[in-house]
Amino acid sequence: MVKWRILVSTAVAALTVAAWGTTAEAAPTAPPGDGVVSPSVVGGSQATQGEFPWMVRLSMGCGGALYSPTLVLTAAHCVSRTGANSSITATLGVVDLQSSSRITRTSNYVYRAPGYNGNGDDWAFIRLSSPVTTLATLPIATSTAYDSGTFTVAGWGANREGGAQQRYLLKANVPFVSDATCNSSSMYGGEVIAAEEICAGYTSGGTDTCQGDSGGPMFRRDASNAWVQVGIVSWGYGCARPNKPGVYTQVSYFSSAIRSAASSLGG
């Protein structure tokens, strides 16, 4: 079974290089645990060009969101440590990863959430070598006001459990699942960290993020009808299984730490 929603096979990473024409780095080893993690969008449809301009594909087999012109917000389990790092390539501005109009940037620094050990605290920043000024950024939720309802997820990950990574960005809508329900014996049996993780998906399964979607945003409209990021793709048992919704880093819980880190990184 797969828990984390990151590509963990260097062979698969190599295949993505051939498919996308981008430079991939080997995915970091998944955190210790029971070995059950996954995220691409299962049960989704193709996004239209420009629909989600802040979506980012990262060369280690993860997603992300453009937080500022120089910072990509992603998952901590997508990176190995905090420090200088020029090995990651970010692809932005396109639905089709092979499009000649795609924007690419290399990284120059990675910031992983302090204290991250594979259990919670699953957020990180990747700083780009030069700013991307032509694309909209995605604001983060700073309160719990939008941590319920129906969310949108998007990514280039697998469109089925064990499936191939996607050339075109897929999107889907998933409903909020309460902490109590998500931690019930029929779902995750207390494995979800209620204070800092948020669940979304259908009891019947069928729609979910999957391997390769890790680090990508979960978002919804705010009171002004603008997009706001409420989650970061983190983990789940398999992809789109019944009673196994996706588990996302709850951005509102970490919003102060995220903003402080961004400021320290010049973003």
Side-chain angles (χ1 to χ4, degrees):
M1 292 189 293
V2 180
K3 177 184 175 182
W4 299 99
R5 298 193 163 170
I6 183 176
L7 297 176
V8 293
S9 167
T10 54
V12 173
L15 287 175
T16 65
V17 178
W20 300 338
T22 57
T23 302
E25 75 167 351
T29 302
D34 54 14
V36 189
V37 184
S38 73
S40 159
V41 174
V42 179
S45 59
Q46 188 174 315
T48 59
Q49 179 59 35
E51 187 174 6
F52 309 124
W54 19 259
M55 286 296 302
V56 181
R57 180 65 178 183
L58 299 169
S59 58
M60 79 288 279
C62 280
L66 194 63
Y67 174 91
S68 76
T70 56
L71 294 176
V72 175
L73 183 61
T74 187
H77 76 264
C78 289
V79 299
S80 57
R81 60 180 178 84
T82 294
N85 186 323
S86 59
S87 67
I88 301 167
T89 299
T91 302
L92 312 91
V94 291
V95 164
D96 176 4
L97 291 172
Q98 294 186 19
S99 171
S100 60
S101 62
R102 65 184 182 269
I103 299 168
T104 60
R105 293 288 190 275
T106 56
S107 60
N108 64 15
Y109 194 85
V110 166
Y111 179 93
R112 192 170 73 171
Y116 173 74
N117 63 3
N119 189 31
D121 296 297
D122 196 10
W123 64 272
F125 273 124
I126 292 171
R127 190 172 66 192
L128 306 177
S129 56
S130 62
V132 177
T133 59
T134 57
L135 298 175
T137 56
L138 181 60
I140 62 169
T142 57
S143 76
T144 59
Y146 302 112
D147 288 351
S148 61
T150 299
F151 309 118
T152 300
V153 290
W156 288 272
N159 61 357
R160 61 180 175 83
E161 188 171 329
Q165 299 296 288
Q166 301 297 295
R167 170 178 170 177
Y168 298 95
L169 181 66
L170 297 179
K171 63 176 181 177
N173 292 327
V174 286
F176 170 74
V177 177
S178 71
D179 291 336
T181 300
C182 203
N183 262 332
S184 66
S185 58
S186 63
M187 289 193 175
Y188 287 117
E191 292 184 63
V192 175
I193 305 172
E196 57 180 82
E197 294 178 328
I198 185 170
C199 300
Y202 296 92
T203 302
S204 58
T207 304
D208 196 8
T209 48
C210 198
Q211 273 74 35
D213 290 328
S214 278
M218 181 170 73
F219 45 97
R220 55 158 291 175
R221 299 284 188 175
D222 66 12
S224 302
N225 203 39
W227 290 115
V228 61
Q229 182 172 357
V230 298
I232 299 169
V233 178
S234 185
W235 63 278
Y237 282 19
C239 304
R241 297 180 187 180
N243 292 309
K244 298 299 178 190
V247 184
Y248 301 80
T249 301
Q250 192 163 351
V251 169
S252 62
Y253 179 84
F254 294 104
S255 61
S256 293
I258 289 171
R259 287 187 293 175
S260 176
S263 179
S264 72
L265 293 168

